[in-house]
Amino acid sequence: MQYIFLIYEDESDERRDAPDLIAEYTSLSDELKRRDAHIFGAALEPTSTATSVRERDGKRMIIDGPFAETKEALAGFMILDCENLDEAIELAARMPTARIGTIEVRPVA
């Protein structure tokens, strides 16, 4: 079953760009690719580059930045093939951001 791992980080936290954290992600991604579990993943540009779009009653609203104002912002995602939710949770816990941010795990419909 495929799961999406939504990676949330505090953009002001300098640890998120630490070389050791990036190396951990690279190592984990390489392992998952060898296991044929890695489907796709990508880091995202900062929320300052985002544009939010809403359409209500035929009127379009375009907002610079994210729609929600939160401390943690979506920083990236991975789609992985896992046996079950237990395996997905184990993999989420291994992601470096789990120590400084949040990993949201959802089954792909």
Side-chain angles (χ1 to χ4, degrees):
M1 175 172 225
Q2 291 183 356
Y3 290 86
I4 189 165
F5 296 72
L6 301 170
I7 302 165
Y8 292 92
E9 299 174 338
D10 179 343
E11 291 181 337
S12 66
D13 190 334
E14 294 177 6
R15 296 175 295 177
R16 65 189 291 272
D17 294 321
D20 58 330
L21 188 117
I22 294 167
E24 281 186 69
Y25 264 113
T26 300
S27 177
L28 179 60
S29 291
D30 289 346
E31 175 191 334
L32 294 168
K33 287 174 187 172
R34 284 191 303 275
R35 292 175 32 192
D36 290 329
H38 188 273
I39 307 298
F40 185 75
L44 300 174
E45 292 293 332
T47 56
S48 61
T49 67
T51 301
S52 296
V53 179
R54 297 171 114 192
E55 188 84 21
R56 300 290 189 275
D57 299 321
K59 294 180 182 167
R60 184 172 301 155
M61 293 175 277
I62 300 170
I63 304 163
D64 290 337
F67 177 70
E69 293 291 328
T70 63
K71 185 170 184 163
E72 288 185 343
L74 183 62
F77 65 94
M78 294 177 87
I79 299 174
L80 303 176
D81 191 19
C82 303
E83 287 292 320
N84 52 42
L85 180 58
D86 291 335
E87 181 184 22
I89 290 169
E90 287 299 318
L91 290 173
R94 291 182 55 198
M95 293 183 180
T97 302
R99 296 190 306 269
I100 62 171
T102 302
I103 310 296
E104 180 180 343
V105 179
R106 284 197 212 174
V108 174

